[in-house]
Amino acid sequence: SPNYPADYNNNDNCEVSIDGEGVLHSLSFDTEQNYDNFFVGSTIYTGPEGPNGHEVNSSVVLRFLSDDSFTESGFEVCVTCAPRPLVKAAFAAS
């Protein structure tokens, strides 16, 4: 969130998109319950519970909106990239 680990601002409106696929993990999460929200697509996270294990891809938008009153320390959320499938290759002797 903006300013993390210091408090985020009132009326923040931030949007991020993911390039690829992965899983979200909250390292720290604290927003004003029910008023300052972190959206992962259509799922809302607020208060002390952030996304853990939420799968994302390039069509999912991450958005943070805060209202015009209280603020908290915000959050640190990381994306772990999904492993790419192994490609088997066969080499012929020449």
Side-chain angles (χ1 to χ4, degrees):
S1 59
N3 302 328
Y4 182 84
D7 287 6
Y8 52 81
N9 298 314
N10 289 321
N11 301 310
D12 271 338
N13 182 351
C14 306
E15 189 173 288
V16 174
S17 48
I18 303 295
D19 183 19
E21 297 178 346
V23 178
L24 293 178
H25 300 281
S26 298
L27 303 180
S28 177
F29 201 92
D30 186 23
T31 66
E32 184 188 7
Q33 183 81 41
N34 298 322
Y35 296 98
D36 300 339
N37 301 308
F38 180 61
F39 296 84
V40 179
S42 61
T43 303
I44 301 171
Y45 295 93
T46 186
E49 298 294 326
N52 278 308
H54 193 127
E55 294 183 11
V56 293
N57 59 44
S58 57
S59 67
V60 175
V61 174
L62 308 179
R63 188 171 195 178
F64 175 64
L65 295 173
S66 63
D67 69 357
D68 60 356
S69 61
F70 301 102
T71 61
E72 301 291 347
S73 59
F75 53 87
E76 182 176 10
V77 174
C78 294
V79 178
T80 302
C81 295
R84 297 188 187 273
L86 294 175
V87 177
K88 293 184 179 181
F91 295 93
S94 50

